[in-house]
Amino acid sequence: MRRRSLLVAGVCALLGLTGAGVAMGASRPVQQAPASAPQLRLHRDVSGLREPGAEPAGVLESVSAGAIERTASRTFTYPGADYVKVHFSRIALEAGDRVVVSDAGGSEQYEYTSKDLGDADNWSMSVSGDRAVVRVRKADDDVFGIRSRLASLGVTVDKVARGQTPAERARSDADRRTARAAAPREESICGRTDETANAACYKSSDPVAYANSKPVARILINGVELCTAWRVGTRNRMLTNHHCFTTTREARNTEVWFNYECARCDGGTTLHPTKVMGDQVLATDEILDYTLFSVRDFNQIQQFGYLEIDDRAPVRGEELYIPQHPRGAPRVITMQDSTEHSGNCAVSNPSYHGYAANTDLSYYCDTDGGSSGSPVISRRTNKVIGLHHFGGCPNSGVRIDRIAAHLRGLA
């Protein structure tokens, strides 16, 4: 049975994160694909095809007695979690007040007005580590907080989305191993070993591939799910899978992390990622399994560059590489494939069946859950020829020439 991919890359220690604060944009209606785009019929004759989804990544915790007065602060602690993201059920502030959410040391900090939080469904950006500190910064001189208490000013946290603890991740890994032993053909690690490598391993040996991994981002959806996305073209445009999210509301509850990679080839600490929020869904399609969206604070992520589309049919045997964030891990690149005679990732079938006949290209490059939405890049042109979306050995991605026909004028 084919399904989305499932595995882990090298491990890095998670340091304090830095990123841009939240900036809000005006709503626009979702644009549909141009009328001239080819229409495809859903292909129902793929044996065992199962609808993929975003990779589960965290835990949603309810919070009781989460009220925080305008003159106070509160720390939310979840030992062993790698991130904490808070939600507010009540925001009662005066003009000029700011809600401040930071990590334990204050090195990662985000400030919000009431409107900022309202536009984000009252969710903050996540902070790294297992603690989030929430406080209200007053705009006036109510020194003793008497007027704030009389007016019941302040905020209330009612739930928290957090990362898994080491024990929870270990149980999740054990469950995956059990599932793979029972159904080995479902594996998305297609050889005997995982042949992904930390992106830093290619900084010197293949600087072009390393540079082309920089526009690839980890995305955290609704605080508890993961996919991969990448910047396409020079404009404020990102691509991921339709099965990751489909609406502007979901985009605005999606964090987009750039520069999240290990500092060294052998792992170690991570670089400080730059985090922005998704903004608007511009086009989405179920059969071709893509979502095109924009981000807020676009100027913060332009430094990481962009990828170009190779608008043509792929060729059997064409060598590939796939930058990705499997299971939300720091960015890795899959370039080698011991199942190929050349030892390199390559196109196995350029006309593979996805949700419709001949929409995909297949390959045996290693991927994992959370890799959904990764770019499949040709080593010949260093441009994108596929949008990864299925595991199953072969793994497969939607042909980018099919998607490009839908995105004329949008990307």
Side-chain angles (χ1 to χ4, degrees):
M1 178 167 65
R2 298 178 64 209
R3 64 182 175 102
R4 62 195 168 112
S5 42
L6 298 166
L7 177 85
V8 192
V11 176
C12 303
L14 182 63
L15 296 180
L17 308 180
T18 58
V22 176
M24 306 302 162
S27 296
R28 299 198 285 250
V30 175
Q31 298 183 45
Q32 301 300 321
S36 59
Q39 300 302 305
L40 299 172
R41 292 190 307 166
L42 191 63
H43 186 75
R44 298 289 186 186
D45 193 28
V46 178
S47 176
L49 182 63
R50 190 170 78 187
E51 177 76 16
E55 174 73 1
V59 178
L60 194 62
E61 300 270 12
S62 61
V63 173
S64 59
I68 304 169
E69 294 182 354
R70 189 163 167 253
T71 56
S73 67
R74 180 170 172 182
T75 301
F76 298 87
T77 304
Y78 300 90
D82 56 355
Y83 68 85
V84 180
K85 182 180 178 74
V86 299
H87 181 268
F88 300 91
S89 60
R90 180 182 69 96
I91 304 168
L93 304 175
E94 290 191 340
D97 286 351
R98 297 290 187 272
V99 178
V100 181
V101 181
S102 67
D103 64 1
S107 60
E108 181 182 13
Q109 180 171 292
Y110 304 96
E111 296 185 3
Y112 307 93
T113 65
S114 296
K115 183 180 184 304
D116 291 340
L117 289 170
D119 287 347
D121 279 352
N122 290 358
W123 280 103
S124 73
M125 184 80 82
S126 67
V127 294
S128 63
D130 59 8
R131 284 180 288 176
V133 182
V134 180
R135 64 183 174 88
V136 178
R137 194 179 72 201
K138 299 178 299 179
D140 60 22
D141 58 356
D142 184 16
V143 178
F144 298 106
I146 297 173
R147 183 163 54 81
S148 297
R149 292 188 182 92
L150 290 174
S152 297
L153 296 179
V155 297
T156 299
V157 175
D158 66 334
K159 55 188 173 182
V160 164
R162 63 165 178 85
Q164 292 179 328
T165 65
E168 289 167 339
R169 285 192 292 273
R171 285 196 296 271
S172 178
D173 290 344
D175 290 343
R176 282 182 170 84
R177 287 192 294 270
T178 300
R180 286 173 179 163
R185 286 183 296 177
E186 292 191 6
E187 291 189 18
S188 295
I189 304 305
C190 297
R192 293 184 177 179
T193 60
D194 175 8
E195 296 180 284
T196 61
N198 287 319
C201 298
Y202 295 98
K203 189 178 291 186
S204 299
S205 64
D206 196 331
V208 173
Y210 176 74
N212 282 337
S213 76
K214 284 290 189 180
V216 177
R218 174 195 202 260
I219 60 175
L220 178 63
I221 307 157
N222 296 319
V224 293
E225 295 180 312
L226 294 167
C227 279
T228 299
W230 47 281
R231 186 177 163 211
V232 52
T234 59
R235 300 161 68 188
N236 182 1
R237 300 290 187 267
M238 300 287 299
L239 265 177
T240 190
N241 287 144
H242 177 279
H243 75 247
C244 295
F245 67 84
T246 62
T247 68
T248 288
R249 180 170 183 175
E250 289 173 305
R252 292 182 175 180
N253 281 319
T254 295
E255 300 182 12
V256 185
W257 296 22
F258 284 87
N259 207 40
Y260 184 51
E261 64 176 83
C262 294
R264 303 190 313 271
C265 178
D266 61 355
T269 58
T270 60
L271 301 181
H272 293 279
T274 296
K275 300 193 294 186
V276 295
M277 298 299 295
D279 190 11
Q280 298 179 35
V281 168
L282 306 171
T284 189
D285 187 88
E286 180 181 10
I287 298 175
L288 294 180
D289 201 11
Y290 74 82
T291 292
L292 182 75
F293 68 103
S294 62
V295 299
R296 304 172 189 179
D297 295 330
F298 176 57
N299 62 308
Q300 298 289 335
I301 57 96
Q302 286 181 279
Q303 62 184 302
F304 302 112
Y306 59 89
L307 293 172
E308 296 181 84
I309 283 176
D310 200 345
D311 188 3
R312 62 173 173 84
V315 178
R316 189 182 302 273
E318 183 172 1
E319 294 188 350
L320 309 169
Y321 58 97
I322 306 177
Q324 55 187 286
H325 286 277
R327 294 182 60 199
R331 187 170 62 253
V332 301
I333 301 174
T334 301
M335 188 174 289
Q336 297 180 330
D337 179 8
S338 58
T339 68
E340 291 284 345
H341 293 303
S342 67
N344 298 318
C345 286
V347 175
S348 174
N349 185 345
S351 296
Y352 195 65
H353 293 340
Y355 282 128
N358 304 315
T359 55
D360 285 19
L361 69 155
S362 68
Y363 36 81
Y364 288 85
C365 314
D366 290 337
T367 58
D368 200 348
S371 298
S372 290
S374 300
V376 180
I377 302 175
S378 166
R379 290 194 71 176
R380 178 165 62 86
T381 66
N382 287 296
K383 296 181 180 181
V384 180
I385 60 173
L387 180 67
H388 174 74
H389 71 150
F390 284 141
C393 295
N395 303 328
S396 71
V398 184
R399 285 172 43 168
I400 209 70
D401 59 321
R402 303 287 196 190
I403 295 173
H406 275 224
L407 299 183
R408 305 295 186 205
L410 290 177

